[in-house]
Amino acid sequence: MATSMRRELGNGPAALVAVDAALSTVVITPVVVTYWRITWKLMDIYVLPGNQVWSTVASVGIGFIGLFMFTLFQHRFKRYLKPRKHTVLYYVMSRSYTAAFAYSCVNSWRGIWNTMDMVTGTRSPTVAASVVFGICSLASMKTLRNIIAPPIAILTDNYDGYFEVPTLFRIGVRDGTGSWLYVLDSFFSVCIIGSLVVIVWRGVWSLMDEYIYPEDENTSAIMSLVIGYSVVLLAFALQPAVKKLVNKINGLKRILAVDVYLLFSFFGAVNVWRGVWVMLDNHFIPDARITSYWVSHIACFGFLVLLNSSNSILVRGVYIDAEEDGTQCVDFPCYYVRLLVQKRKRKKQIRIDEEGKEMMQIKIEKEEKTEEINEKILLTSENGDTAISNKTEETLNNSSKIV
């Protein structure tokens, strides 16, 4: 999304900001979490269920290869799929792209998550150490913001940037898909940054499993929902104050303030996801698992497509901490209603501009016609004066002859 557009959306009316926040937290996020849970469970059932190790290896392979290909060939997708030239084909292909991308995302996360469980175990000290390692590694590369997810951030299915997958070093923008540096950049962005994000999420989630009513899953889920939504709502409420703060400071202080705010928001997002996930495990058609999985999988994706927000299920690209100017670095990208309002305003402005151009053209044409008429009148007048002058001269000549 263009910087000017984000700035305009971020400075939108408070009422629209509140509506977007409510829509993200209450509607879109539960559907996104449900989609992820169902897809994850389907992988447990269909991807080598008899062998945990090979199932994990398969998920890592499917996930990393898929994400790497989508990142590497993003420019080709953009080049050949034109929304305004082949509307129906674009719509079908773009949503199929989203479904395949989401499948790769879930597999990559499942693979890394299970790998960490098998390699490091689930003991609290080890898990906590992995969280610290992941956070410090991401912060040192200024990529900590990539741990945020719905309800902190949602994406709409807009034409602009639909296939865009930002990489860490942004090499692809300059050199294209033919550069080996771009290939390495894509690999590093997908495999290293992506894995660190999963490690942080898995660690915090596991610690919540360990310390929030571990003997009672239902109570644990409710507590996670309470904690998660409380933190998320507080994070949204703190945005104006945080924006003022980051607008006054620069350099390392600014990055540190942004990272602390992102970590606080991330903690809320993890608990929301965990609460919804565990509640679904316990209460959503527990006696018919496969049926519930497929129904949920199809229904959730279809609902998000109809809502024009299917891209919210993707974990895509690498974003840099405090990269934007001003307060945009702490502005949660939850633009839905504001985006619709902005589009309507722009269409109205375009229509007004076009009407203005038409009126101007009509005015110019009228002026040209008026000038033509005036020229004809002037020419006629000049011809008339010439004729009168000639007649006068003839009369004088005749008079002189008579004399």
Side-chain angles (χ1 to χ4, degrees), residues 82-94 159:
K82 302 292 185 181
R84 293 171 180 84
K85 186 179 290 186
H86 309 102
T87 306
V88 176
L89 178 63
Y90 171 84
Y91 190 86
V92 173
M93 293 300 295
S94 62
Y159 294 152

Side-chain angles (χ1 to χ4, degrees), residues 130-358:
S130 70
V131 173
V132 173
F133 170 76
I135 290 175
C136 291
S137 299
L138 291 170
S140 66
M141 291 182 283
K142 297 175 63 178
T143 55
L144 190 62
R145 67 182 294 183
N146 294 283
I147 61 177
I148 66 171
I152 301 302
I154 61 173
L155 291 174
T156 55
D157 303 337
N158 291 318
Y159 294 152
D160 297 333
Y162 194 98
F163 304 106
E164 183 178 348
V165 187
T167 53
L168 177 60
F169 300 106
R170 305 293 194 265
I171 291 175
V173 176
R174 299 190 302 271
D175 301 330
T177 56
S179 169
W180 279 106
L181 289 176
Y182 176 65
V183 173
L184 293 174
D185 187 18
S186 299
F187 176 82
F188 191 86
S189 300
V190 169
C191 298
I192 306 302
I193 304 299
S195 297
L196 289 171
V197 170
V198 180
I199 288 171
V200 174
W201 267 77
R202 175 253 179 190
V204 175
W205 191 302
S206 298
L207 291 174
M208 297 301 102
D209 288 342
E210 182 70 22
Y211 292 107
I212 299 181
Y213 294 97
E215 305 299 329
D216 187 347
E217 286 190 349
N218 194 58
T219 304
S220 180
I222 293 173
M223 287 302 299
S224 265
L225 286 173
V226 172
I227 294 170
Y229 276 115
S230 298
V231 172
V232 167
L233 292 176
L234 183 58
F236 275 108
L238 288 174
Q239 269 207 326
V242 176
K243 286 182 178 181
K244 289 181 180 179
L245 175 63
V246 299
N247 216 18
K248 294 178 180 178
I249 56 180
N250 296 307
L252 186 60
K253 290 182 179 180
R254 186 169 185 264
I255 295 175
L256 183 61
V258 170
D259 284 350
V260 170
Y261 182 59
L262 290 176
L263 281 172
F264 176 74
S265 307
F266 155 76
F267 180 72
V270 172
N271 274 282
V272 169
W273 275 65
R274 180 179 177 274
V276 174
W277 193 295
V278 177
M279 289 293 285
L280 289 170
D281 282 343
N282 292 332
H283 299 290
F284 188 74
I285 319 180
D287 298 328
R289 291 190 310 151
I290 296 179
T291 301
S292 70
Y293 293 164
W294 279 110
V295 169
S296 302
H297 180 80
I298 296 171
C300 289
F301 185 75
F303 179 77
L304 289 170
V305 168
L306 292 175
L307 202 62
N308 203 42
S309 192
S310 62
N311 277 327
S312 296
I313 62 180
L314 304 183
V315 180
R316 178 170 61 182
V318 176
Y319 298 90
I320 309 300
D321 298 344
E323 183 179 27
E324 300 91 341
D325 297 329
T327 62
Q328 294 176 53
C329 57
V330 291
D331 185 34
F332 296 152
C334 297
Y335 312 126
Y336 192 89
V337 177
R338 280 174 288 176
L339 195 58
L340 294 177
V341 172
Q342 186 193 60
K343 284 183 177 180
R344 182 172 295 181
K345 286 182 178 179
R346 289 194 171 186
K347 286 182 179 179
K348 184 178 180 180
Q349 187 61 46
I350 290 172
R351 187 167 61 251
I352 292 172
D353 292 342
E354 289 177 350
E355 290 176 355
K357 289 179 180 178
E358 290 178 359

